[in-house]
Amino acid sequence: MNLKQANFAFSLLLTFVWVWNCTNYSTTASVQAPPTLISITNNGNSNFTIKVRAQNPEFIFQGYRLYQAATESLAQNPTDTNLGTDCILAQASIVQPIEYTFEVDPTTKANTAGVSCRIFATLSPGSYISMRTLGLAVNLQNSTSSYRVSLPSNTLIVP
């Protein structure tokens, strides 16, 4: 082993020891930007199309969670933010400002062409909907992970 290889191996070992023993990391969770709901259209047969604009450039971005309630306030502030219906998007690249098309349908059909994600849920006409962004939260102390939700989006009334 020459001196260059030995220096590389030593620096790699020091880096591994430093990362393994590092306790000075942030415990503050990253805040994701909430989406903006643009429109909702009734396509018939309990099928709806929702247009959403969003920007989530962070690598922890996972997708969106849809909430439905009888009032605007409850749709934006549910008693339990885990009770919505998720839409997990593929992580092929960093998400930039984009307009998404979501299809909400209680049946488990495949996505229609041009649809970013299908949300398997039943919406009731006259109810309110809201969405939140899902970010991945990892706890390094006990090696667990969960979703962290953003602040709520605006609301729309289901037609």
Side-chain angles (χ1 to χ4, degrees), residues 3-60:
L3 184 60
K4 191 174 186 179
Q5 290 172 327
N7 281 338
F8 176 75
F10 183 68
S11 63
L12 188 63
L13 177 65
L14 283 179
T15 302
F16 177 73
V17 169
W18 178 78
V19 168
W20 187 260
N21 292 317
C22 178
T23 58
N24 297 324
Y25 53 86
S26 173
T27 57
T28 304
S30 177
V31 177
Q32 296 287 301
T36 302
L37 303 181
I38 304 302
S39 66
I40 182 168
T41 307
N42 187 339
N43 301 327
N45 297 329
S46 301
N47 181 302
F48 295 86
T49 300
I50 302 173
K51 297 278 188 182
V52 176
R53 286 199 183 108
Q55 176 180 357
N56 295 286
E58 298 186 36
F59 71 94
I60 63 170

Side-chain angles (χ1 to χ4, degrees), residues 54-136:
Q55 176 180 357
N56 295 286
E58 298 186 36
F59 71 94
I60 63 170
F61 169 76
Q62 298 295 299
Y64 297 97
R65 184 170 285 159
L66 177 71
Y67 300 93
Q68 176 181 210
T71 67
E72 181 177 11
S73 178
L74 285 174
Q76 288 184 313
N77 304 299
T79 55
D80 184 354
T81 57
N82 294 315
L83 296 179
T85 306
D86 294 347
C87 174
I88 307 302
L89 296 172
Q91 293 298 297
S93 62
I94 293 176
V95 178
Q96 293 299 321
I98 192 169
E99 184 171 294
Y100 291 107
T101 301
F102 295 103
E103 198 164 49
V104 182
D105 191 336
T107 64
T108 56
K109 297 187 290 188
N111 283 356
T112 306
V115 171
S116 305
C117 191
R118 179 180 286 272
I119 300 173
F120 302 109
T122 301
L123 297 180
S124 302
S127 64
Y128 291 81
I129 61 166
S130 176
M131 290 183 103
R132 291 177 184 242
T133 301
L134 296 174
L136 185 61

